[in-house]
Amino acid sequence: MSHTPLTAWRCDKCGEAVNAENGWLEWESDEGNGPRNFHIVHNKNECFFHTRSPSRRDHHLHYFLGTKGQQYLLKLLYPGTFFMSHFTRGDWDYPNIPDFAEIFRRLHVPYYEEARIYFETAYSEGEMDGANESTITSSDFCKDIFSKYREKSDVL
């Protein structure tokens, strides 16, 4: 069975498949704090994590895909010198970088979303011996992990 990467994700709440049409990206951010606590979820209340947070932000998943989506995500990471000097008065914390990097990889590195659920198994079976962060997050490595372990599962 063929698979097209960057077309399906796993809802962080219910675990079911999410796509560009029914998916949502949510996070928290406010005037003094950069984005944090990112989640890919279904566009329905029961899958949201931050429904009661006054800092909750969200948008359709398709808004964050492709080249324009990358640009939008990078604006979340650092909105730019002009914005910082004129709109935040210096009261802005940078986003949670590991959290941001993970969501960026999930949305933009082919096969990362599919492979990440197998990383622990691959690691315990020695598949990651000699690997580093660049290797593990490369689309070629992720495709290999996904191809090897997907047969043992019916995920994505």
Side-chain angles (χ1 to χ4, degrees):
M1 179 170 110
S2 120
H3 176 78
T4 305
L6 303 177
T7 60
W9 295 266
R10 177 182 294 279
C11 176
D12 292 330
K13 185 68 152 247
C14 74
E16 297 296 318
V18 171
N19 59 41
E21 288 75 44
N22 69 4
W24 208 249
L25 183 65
E26 70 163 353
W27 66 95
E28 291 181 291
S29 183
D30 51 41
E31 188 174 311
N33 296 294
R36 62 204 181 277
N37 301 324
F38 292 93
H39 295 101
I40 295 173
V41 295
H42 287 99
N43 185 9
K44 53 187 181 179
N45 282 337
E46 56 268 21
C47 287
F48 295 153
F49 282 83
H50 309 301
T51 52
R52 296 196 173 146
S53 172
S55 301
R56 183 178 191 276
R57 305 290 181 263
D58 58 34
H59 214 305
H60 294 277
L61 192 59
H62 65 80
Y63 190 73
F64 299 95
L65 303 177
T67 303
K68 286 185 180 183
Q70 286 181 351
Q71 292 169 359
Y72 188 74
L73 279 171
L74 289 173
K75 284 183 214 172
L76 290 178
L77 180 64
Y78 181 73
T81 305
F82 182 83
F83 177 86
M84 297 296 285
S85 63
H86 290 88
F87 293 99
T88 66
R89 296 175 295 282
D91 298 331
W92 191 78
D93 245 349
Y94 290 97
N96 179 314
I97 299 298
D99 202 28
F100 177 84
E102 181 70 7
I103 208 68
F104 192 89
R105 289 176 182 135
R106 291 179 67 187
L107 293 173
H108 292 284
V109 175
Y111 293 100
Y112 183 80
E113 177 74 358
E114 294 87 343
R116 66 193 277 271
I117 61 171
Y118 302 119
F119 283 168
E120 286 296 325
T121 303
Y123 178 79
S124 67
E125 293 181 4
E127 291 291 329
M128 295 185 177
D129 289 352
N132 60 32
E133 186 73 14
S134 295
T135 305
I136 292 169
T137 59
S138 76
S139 58
D140 289 338
F141 179 84
C142 290
K143 183 177 182 180
D144 290 344
I145 294 296
F146 173 63
S147 296
K148 179 173 183 168
Y149 291 96
R150 80 185 255 194
E151 296 169 2
K152 301 175 183 179
S153 156
D154 60 356
V155 177
L156 289 178

